[in-house]
Amino acid sequence: MLSSTSLKPITNPKIPFFSSFSIQNPSLLSFHLPFSPSKALLKPISATLIPSTPQPQQQQLYQPFRPPPSPLPPKFRSLDAQGRLDVLANRNGLWFEYAPLIPSLYQEGFSPPSIEEITGITGVEQNTLIVASQVRESLIQSKTDEDVMSFFDTGGAELLYEIRLLSASQRAEAVRYIVENGLDAKGAQDLARAMKDFPRRKMDKGWKSFEYGLPGDCLSFMYYRLSREHRNPSEQRTAALMQALQVAESESAKKEVSQELEGGEDEKPEKDDDLEYRVRVPVVRMQFGEVAEATSVVVLPVCMAEEDTKGILEAPLECRSGGDFGVVEAEKGWKRWVVLPSWEPLAGLRHGGVVVAFSDARVIPWKSNRWYKEEAILVVTDRNRKEVEVDAAFYLAKVDGGRLKVDTGSALKEMGVKESLGTVVLVVRPPKEESDDQLSDEDWE
């Protein structure tokens, strides 16, 4: 029999022994062992404390909220809502200093009309101030020349607002050109549109002669393109080319515009094996939102190229808009319509116009290494001009057992075709997202 009274406590002054309970009745711990206690106690019993394995420190998922720095200038941060309204009403300070007060009032429940009623700043002016102050801040972050930025200290919010859609690098070049040439809001708007549109026009005639990095060249190319929409000769064409020459910056751009003014392009010899020199049908790539921004549009019936040519003949000949709301009314019902900007070739197409949708642009006999594109296109055709007369013109015809084909007058004459379904006046390509002028993430403000 072994009891707890026969065991002496083991003491070690260096390693204390802690017990989680106290023994009140030693007899309760008595039990039988299957071996001899004398042998079991020949060696002293020692005990050491094994340090616990440290638990790996868990990553702290919760991060305390840190409010963003206030966009308000330090001198306005302590003002309450009424104080900020007073600053706006009295125009205290510089425009880019009190502009951030407007969105702070929006956050407190004020609406643009209520701010206009109190301060006299219209909703349009409020938006202009907010956006222009953000554009100005991005220019400062881009380290734009201080002499250029000082021009906008006491005004110019309407100018900065117009370049809001440009990238950070484009904005810096744009403001330099605006300041150096004294552009107004309309001029700044034209410049911004020209710079944004320039990369999309790689396939246009003369594009390589203009430099993308020069705002003046972008603006010059816009006027240069505009001149080609008018007859030659005409006052509108000459005026547009004079504007292009006036704003051009590079020598190559000036040379290209000067040659166009002198009519050198018209004297270029025609090549029989290159349709690019003989065909004068405009090819336009639609841009996203272009119809929404257009000041005037045209509505035309659409026929599918895979369907019978009967649809082309039966499509409505005319659509008119009238009344206070410009309601469009066709002479008869039709199931497919398209809305296009009122480009120059379409402006006079009020009667007999129809659009034929092809699923593959290779039906157009363009120069193979440049224009054969596997993409859908719209071919705008004038049904009032069916007779095949001009060799270099494009016509929509029914050939090869009923298949629709777009070809030149000379090719159709060789096949014995004397009357077509109509003369092609415009080819429209679809919008494309993958464009060189799209902004990267770091360019967005």
Side-chain angles (χ1 to χ4, degrees):
M1 179 67 68
L2 178 65
S3 65
S4 62
T5 56
S6 63
L7 296 178
K8 295 182 180 181
I10 300 173
T11 59
N12 188 336
K14 294 183 180 181
I15 304 177
F17 178 80
F18 298 96
S19 174
S20 60
F21 61 92
S22 60
I23 302 175
Q24 301 295 335
N25 190 352
S27 62
L28 295 177
L29 297 178
S30 300
F31 52 89
H32 295 279
L33 297 175
F35 52 84
S36 172
S38 59
K39 294 181 179 181
L41 298 176
L42 290 178
K43 294 181 179 181
I45 299 175
S46 62
T48 59
L49 290 177
I50 300 175
S52 60
T53 304
Q55 296 293 330
Q57 186 176 2
Q58 295 182 354
Q59 183 180 2
Q60 187 179 3
L61 299 179
Y62 171 75
Q63 297 293 334
F65 173 72
R66 295 182 178 88
S70 175
L72 300 179
K75 62 181 180 179
F76 294 147
R77 291 177 186 173
S78 60
L79 297 178
D80 57 6
Q82 185 58 48
R84 281 172 277 174
L85 289 170
D86 292 339
V87 170
L88 291 173
N90 298 318
R91 310 295 198 275
N92 292 334
L94 302 175
W95 69 267
F96 56 84
E97 293 179 337
Y98 58 71
L101 298 178
I102 300 173
S104 69
L105 291 172
Y106 291 162
Q107 295 177 355
E108 296 191 13
F110 288 88
S111 63
S114 62
I115 295 178
E116 177 181 358
E117 183 179 355
I118 300 173
T119 65
I121 303 176
T122 66
V124 174
E125 292 174 331
Q126 294 172 35
N127 184 53
T128 300
L129 288 172
I130 295 172
V131 175
S133 65
Q134 295 170 351
V135 172
R136 181 184 177 276
E137 184 63 28
S138 71
L139 290 169
I140 294 176
Q141 297 298 328
S142 302
K143 298 183 176 6
T144 306
D145 193 303
E146 294 183 359
D147 293 336
V148 174
M149 294 306 303
S150 63
F151 176 84
F152 300 98
D153 286 346
T154 57
E158 69 283 356
L159 303 177
L160 295 179
Y161 174 83
E162 297 298 343
I163 64 172
R164 64 194 182 280
L165 297 181
L166 299 180
S167 65
S169 58
Q170 288 176 318
R171 289 174 181 177
E173 291 298 322
V175 294
R176 175 191 64 80
Y177 188 86
I178 290 172
V179 173
E180 291 179 354
N181 294 274
L183 299 185
D184 56 7
K186 181 61 170 61
Q189 183 185 70
D190 291 341
L191 176 64
R193 289 182 175 178
M195 294 179 67
K196 190 169 182 62
D197 184 67
F198 184 82
R200 304 171 179 170
R201 305 294 180 178
K202 284 185 176 180
M203 308 308 292
D204 288 10
K205 174 190 173 299
W207 184 86
K208 293 183 179 179
S209 300
F210 300 81
E211 295 187 19
Y212 180 40
L214 299 177
D217 274 22
C218 296
L219 192 59
S220 177
F221 183 70
M222 183 189 73
Y223 293 130
Y224 176 82
R225 284 183 57 250
L226 181 63
S227 71
R228 301 185 65 82
E229 297 181 3
H230 302 288
R231 295 191 314 273
N232 183 18
S234 65
E235 293 183 3
Q236 296 90 339
R237 178 180 180 275
T238 303
L241 287 174
M242 290 299 295
Q243 283 184 295
L245 184 61
Q246 183 179 0
V247 299
E249 293 188 71
S250 67
E251 292 300 324
S252 58
K254 294 177 181 178
K255 181 179 179 181
E256 178 70 25
V257 177
S258 297
Q259 289 179 350
E260 191 75 10
L261 265 172
E262 296 170 1
E265 182 65 22
D266 295 336
E267 299 173 3
K268 181 181 290 186
E270 185 178 286
K271 299 182 181 180
D272 293 336
D273 58 345
D274 192 350
L275 291 175
E276 184 182 3
Y277 289 96
R278 298 191 286 126
V279 176
R280 294 293 181 264
V281 176
V283 179
V284 180
R285 180 177 291 283
M286 285 284 293
Q287 305 299 330
F288 291 106
E290 190 169 4
V291 174
E293 296 178 357
T295 55
S296 61
V297 297
V298 295
V299 182
L300 296 171
V302 179
C303 298
M304 305 303 295
E306 298 80 10
E307 299 176 351
D308 194 334
T309 56
K310 182 180 179 181
I312 299 177
L313 301 175
E314 295 181 349
L317 292 173
E318 188 174 8
C319 289
R320 295 182 178 180
S321 61
D324 295 336
F325 297 98
V327 177
V328 177
E329 183 178 357
E331 59 182 9
K332 58 181 176 180
W334 197 251
K335 60 182 178 180
R336 294 188 186 94
W337 300 88
V338 66
V339 181
L340 298 174
S342 185
W343 293 309
E344 185 73 18
L346 305 180
L349 195 62
R350 299 300 182 186
H351 185 275
V354 67
V355 174
V356 181
F358 288 90
S359 59
D360 195 333
R362 288 177 293 183
V363 299
I364 305 292
W366 294 117
K367 193 175 178 181
S368 59
N369 65 343
R370 185 171 180 180
W371 290 105
Y372 280 147
K373 300 289 184 180
E374 297 181 11
E375 62 180 3
I377 59 170
L378 299 179
V379 177
V380 185
T381 305
D382 185 0
R383 288 174 289 177
N384 291 325
R385 297 155 55 193
K386 296 182 179 180
E387 186 175 353
V388 180
E389 296 178 334
V390 183
D391 291 346
F394 268 172
Y395 297 93
L396 179 69
K398 180 180 179 181
V399 296
D400 299 337
R403 183 173 61 91
L404 284 180
K405 180 178 178 61
V406 177
D407 215 333
T408 58
S410 58
L412 292 177
K413 288 178 181 180
E414 292 177 0
M415 292 185 288
V417 179
K418 297 182 179 180
E419 184 173 294
S420 66
L421 296 173
T423 301
V424 176
V425 297
L426 182 69
V427 177
V428 184
R429 303 172 72 185
K432 188 177 180 181
E433 292 183 354
E434 298 81 8
S435 181
D436 292 342
D437 67 317
Q438 296 298 314
L439 305 182
S440 57
D441 291 338
E442 59 269 21
D443 287 333
W444 285 105
E445 298 299 328

